[in-house]
Amino acid sequence: MRRKTGFRILTHDRSTTAGSVLGVVAIVFLVGQQLAIMFGLFTYMSVLVDHSGADIWVLTKDVDEVNSSGSLPVRYVDRIAGLREVEWVEPLILGGGSFRSREGKYQPVQMVGLPRPRLENGPWRFDEGSLQVLLDSEGATVDSLDLKVLGYPGLLEFYEVSGRRIRISAITRNIRGFGGTIIFTNIEKAREVSGLPPGRCSHIILKVRPEAEVSAVASAIRTLLPRTAVLTSPQLAASTRLFYILNTGIGSSFGFSVIIGALVGVVIITLTMYTSVLNHRRDYAVLQAIGARKRDILVVVFWQALIVGLIGVFVGFLFLAGFIAGTRNGQLPTNMPLWFPPLHAAITLVLCLLGSTQAMRKAVKVEPASVFR
Amino acid sequence: MISEIVEQRIKAAESAPPIQLEGIARDFFDGKVLRRVLKKLDLEIFAGELTIIAGPSGSGKTTLLTIMGFLLQPSEGRIFIQGREVTRFSSNRLATLRMQKIGFVFQQSVLVPALTVIDNILLPSAIQGRSVPRAVKARARELLEMLGLRDYVDAMPQQLSLGQQQRVSIVRALINDPPLLLCDEPTSALDAESSAIVLDTLKRLSLEPTRAVVLVTHDPRVFPFADRLVKIEDGAVIYDSRQGRQGVPTS
């Protein structure tokens, strides 16, 4: 009966209930939206590492993010290849360039140069063309998300990046880095654009044989090449994300937005639940007069908070799903890891209950004797 | 042997007055002055009687009723329910005592507007989280029928007239079959016809030998329904028809 009473009071006082639900929706949507964008940016930050297919990355000494590596001798590749546990090893060049559009406008791009013929760490989703187009000495890709900023370059047409000629031979789908536009090409073209001298590369990536242990191989390479930074792919992805979170203000910015979103929701819940108790204080007085203990009153308000929370979480996630679906092919990066929705729902319910504590206190403090006034 | 003792105790409890007040005083502080609203008042309420407590506004009759219903703690004095002292009971135990031993009929029917008639009636039986026994549900329907409300079982309180709402309040007050029914001016908001129905009902209920009905009013037209009339003025009993004497304030 306590649950039923709580539920009936909610349905009876629809406008106040709608306000409380709105508070929960605000928490779910505002916090969820900010975090989905942040997780989306996380995937951008480490996109090349996450999709490289490599187990270990070798970078210049003291580098802790993927884009900052300087210049490494390509001969290190042969030394690493000498290790029995290594299945394959390839040099890589990541470098900046400036794309010149048809109209003569310039757009900064990140060039990713892959060694032929293996083309490891190449693009993994295509709208037009395939990986093999990069076997062509001038072949390059652009992404469908970047067509607008690059002035809608035509397929198989020639363009310039930092004064070097490339041919747009394929269009990738939704592959973007934290720095913006990524253009995949072969390692020789990337070397021309970035200005790295022959015999040098920016990164070395390698795959470990299935029977070997990645961390053991990484240690072996550290011993072999003491003047390099050797990181496993998960380590490099994590340190790259951490670098951007700490050095770009993105962490504090999203953290602040998340806190504001949660606060707004909690304040709305607190005010509306409190108003609901005020509107029904005579009912709570009656309940106490006819035998409800303080804990029974708490149960009635607790159930109201829980029902409001569950409805709000459901509606909020519907909005959030709509938002994520709407941005799937857009410029705004969004990503929601599988562990996030249940955690977000649980925290939101806890916040909803916290927001209801004032209402609970008020309901318990209603004087039962007030029914006589 | 044990069952005999238990039986004896049950009989003793049933034969004891449903409620007994000993030296009850109540003070209120209005921000400047401490005012004594009830002045060490003694009162025993007997089963099988309709006791009317009358007095002018501000005489302390509603405060007295509130204390009798454990909705307000007395500043001094002792309260006995069926011979057992309950003055020092915790708020939780008093709530349970209210649920089991007391039925309330308020000045205006205070039904929970969000609940149907039947749910309002079953509240005292289920508000502490227990499920409602079938017998209680059957009793609710029986009482509704007795008070002419059979067709309003699933109605919302707003769909009923004030008189009907007050009758639902009476059913709610009776649902746990309490030995004491406390009524605070139950007819003050009703028209003459509804008042007569409500008073008749309360009179009928008071005839049951295990139940006492206490009715607080300042309306002399209600007095003829009383088996016993207690008049209060300035926080003290000045007349009790059972004792046939003028009460004297003790302080």
Side-chain angles (χ1 to χ4, degrees):
Chain A
M1 186 59 97
R2 294 177 298 191
R3 278 176 275 177
K4 189 177 188 178
T5 306
F7 179 71
R8 287 285 171 79
I9 287 175
L10 277 185
T11 53
H12 188 254
D13 202 359
R14 283 181 199 151
S15 55
T16 316
T17 303
S20 304
V21 170
L22 181 73
V24 182
V25 172
I27 295 178
V28 173
F29 185 72
L30 294 178
V31 172
Q33 178 222 32
Q34 289 297 313
L35 290 178
I37 294 172
M38 194 176 83
F39 292 137
L41 288 174
F42 279 0
T43 60
Y44 277 12
M45 290 170 190
S46 57
V47 66
L48 292 175
V49 183
D50 295 336
H51 290 91
S52 65
D55 292 323
I56 294 173
W57 287 64
V58 180
L59 306 93
T60 49
K61 189 83 177 161
D62 298 329
V63 165
D64 51 7
E65 68 101 4
V66 70
N67 296 307
S68 301
S69 187
S71 170
L72 290 170
V74 175
R75 62 186 156 80
Y76 282 179
V77 170
D78 298 328
R79 295 183 68 183
I80 295 168
L83 294 171
R84 268 190 320 191
E85 297 88 347
V86 173
E87 190 172 320
W88 56 255
V89 53
E90 296 280 11
L92 197 69
I93 291 180
L94 299 187
S98 188
F99 181 92
R100 186 173 186 271
S101 71
R102 207 180 280 141
E103 291 80 29
K105 290 181 182 168
Y106 289 92
Q107 173 70 22
V109 294
Q110 183 180 27
M111 300 293 287
V112 181
L114 318 170
R116 292 176 286 187
R118 191 189 291 276
L119 299 172
E120 288 297 344
N121 199 29
W124 54 94
R125 277 192 303 253
F126 288 89
D127 265 353
E128 302 266 356
S130 67
L131 189 61
Q132 274 60 45
V133 300
L134 301 182
L135 293 173
D136 173 21
S137 63
E138 289 177 329
T141 68
V142 291
D143 194 79
S144 54
L145 290 175
D146 301 318
L147 291 177
K148 190 178 174 187
V149 293
L150 298 179
Y152 296 104
L155 201 60
L156 303 178
E157 288 180 6
F158 288 96
Y159 292 88
E160 277 182 17
V161 176
S162 300
R164 305 291 172 173
R165 200 165 82 143
I166 61 161
R167 184 164 67 177
I168 307 298
S169 311
I171 296 173
T172 57
R173 178 153 47 88
N174 298 352
I175 297 176
R176 170 176 274 194
F178 189 59
T181 309
I182 293 178
I183 291 182
F184 289 92
T185 183
N186 58 66
I187 197 165
E188 289 78 18
K189 183 60 70 182
R191 180 175 285 117
E192 282 176 32
V193 170
S194 64
L196 271 179
R200 309 294 291 188
C201 63
S202 62
H203 302 70
I204 295 169
I205 58 174
L206 61 115
K207 181 85 179 166
V208 172
R209 288 189 192 282
E211 66 274 15
E213 203 181 315
V214 173
S215 57
V217 177
S219 294
I221 297 171
R222 275 183 210 114
T223 313
L224 191 68
L225 306 169
R227 290 186 193 169
T228 59
V230 182
L231 296 164
T232 63
S233 289
Q235 282 172 342
L236 183 59
S239 66
T240 300
R241 287 171 192 164
L242 191 66
F243 173 84
Y244 283 115
I245 289 168
L246 297 179
N247 293 285
T248 61
I250 196 171
S252 52
S253 167
F254 276 101
F256 185 71
S257 304
V258 163
I259 289 169
I260 290 293
L263 268 180
V264 166
V266 170
V267 167
I268 295 174
I269 293 165
T270 303
L271 291 177
T272 50
M273 289 294 290
Y274 192 79
T275 307
S276 169
V277 167
L278 285 183
N279 291 345
H280 290 276
R281 57 176 173 246
R282 198 166 175 80
D283 296 341
Y284 292 111
V286 172
L287 292 181
Q288 291 194 53
I290 63 176
R293 297 157 297 182
K294 293 201 183 307
R295 63 169 173 266
D296 300 316
I297 300 294
L298 278 180
V299 170
V300 170
V301 185
F302 173 86
W303 274 103
Q304 290 180 37
L306 196 65
I307 292 166
V308 161
L310 289 172
I311 297 171
V313 163
F314 179 74
V315 176
F317 271 107
L318 280 184
F319 280 119
L320 199 53
F323 169 75
I324 289 170
T327 55
R328 183 158 292 159
N329 294 317
Q331 300 282 336
L332 202 59
T334 52
N335 180 38
M336 190 167 284
L338 281 177
W339 55 265
F340 177 69
L343 182 70
H344 187 28
I347 290 173
T348 304
L349 285 178
V350 170
L351 288 176
C352 179
L353 295 176
L354 279 178
S356 308
T357 49
Q358 281 301 318
M360 289 182 196
R361 284 183 62 187
K362 184 70 186 172
V364 165
K365 281 187 174 174
V366 170
E367 267 187 58
S370 63
V371 285
F372 283 112
R373 286 170 209 146
Chain B
M1 185 68 179
I2 292 172
S3 64
E4 275 176 27
I5 292 170
V6 171
E7 233 170 78
Q8 278 172 2
R9 285 193 177 171
I10 291 171
K11 276 183 185 169
E14 281 174 355
S15 60
I19 189 163
Q20 190 182 352
L21 308 178
E22 239 183 57
I24 290 294
R26 175 68 201 190
D27 302 323
F28 282 109
F29 185 64
D30 65 4
K32 289 178 185 168
V33 186
L34 191 69
R35 279 197 321 120
R36 176 146 284 197
V37 176
L38 290 178
K39 296 169 180 172
K40 294 200 173 176
L41 189 144
D42 296 325
L43 190 65
E44 257 178 74
I45 301 294
F46 299 97
E49 281 186 355
L50 172 63
T51 302
I52 288 183
I53 297 175
S57 286
S59 59
K61 56 186 189 304
T62 300
T63 304
L64 177 61
L65 196 73
T66 315
I67 288 173
M68 287 168 84
F70 315 119
L71 298 175
L72 195 65
Q73 283 286 336
S75 306
E76 287 174 36
R78 303 197 298 168
I79 305 172
F80 298 85
I81 288 282
Q82 294 181 318
R84 185 178 176 203
E85 189 183 351
V86 297
T87 325
R88 303 278 166 242
F89 272 22
S90 67
S91 62
N92 278 346
R93 286 184 77 186
L94 287 176
T96 306
L97 205 62
R98 276 200 298 274
M99 186 182 76
Q100 292 168 343
K101 304 287 186 188
I102 298 173
F104 286 102
V105 180
F106 303 108
Q107 197 167 358
Q108 290 168 335
S109 82
V110 276
L111 301 173
V112 178
L115 297 175
T116 60
V117 164
I118 189 72
D119 286 339
N120 265 288
I121 291 167
L122 296 176
L123 263 181
S125 154
I127 193 59
Q128 290 199 354
R130 296 183 194 97
S131 57
V132 184
R134 270 190 197 163
V136 174
K137 287 180 184 169
R139 181 175 158 76
R141 288 175 189 275
E142 201 178 290
L143 287 166
L144 280 171
E145 188 154 354
M146 194 177 91
L147 292 181
L149 295 164
R150 192 182 59 183
D151 298 334
Y152 298 97
V153 173
D154 294 317
M156 299 306 285
Q158 309 83 282
Q159 295 171 293
L160 307 182
S161 70
L162 288 177
Q164 287 170 325
Q165 288 185 28
Q166 198 59 293
R167 278 183 277 158
V168 173
S169 294
I170 294 172
V171 176
R172 182 176 66 186
L174 292 170
I175 194 66
N176 286 339
D177 199 14
L180 182 63
L181 203 60
L182 300 177
C183 314
D184 181 36
E185 306 205 34
T187 56
S188 66
L190 305 183
D191 56 37
E193 194 187 341
S194 297
S195 296
I197 296 171
V198 167
L199 288 170
D200 275 342
T201 308
L202 293 174
K203 180 69 186 172
R204 257 190 294 149
L205 292 169
S206 72
L207 296 176
E208 290 177 28
T210 53
R211 178 174 296 121
V213 177
V214 177
L215 194 154
V216 159
T217 185
H218 64 268
D219 183 0
R221 287 174 298 176
V222 178
F223 294 176
F225 288 87
D227 296 308
R228 177 186 178 193
L229 180 65
V230 176
K231 287 189 177 175
I232 291 186
E233 211 170 287
D234 199 20
V237 175
I238 57 161
Y239 174 76
D240 186 342
S241 66
R242 184 177 249 268
Q243 293 173 357
R245 63 170 171 79
Q246 295 284 116
V248 179
T250 51
S251 63

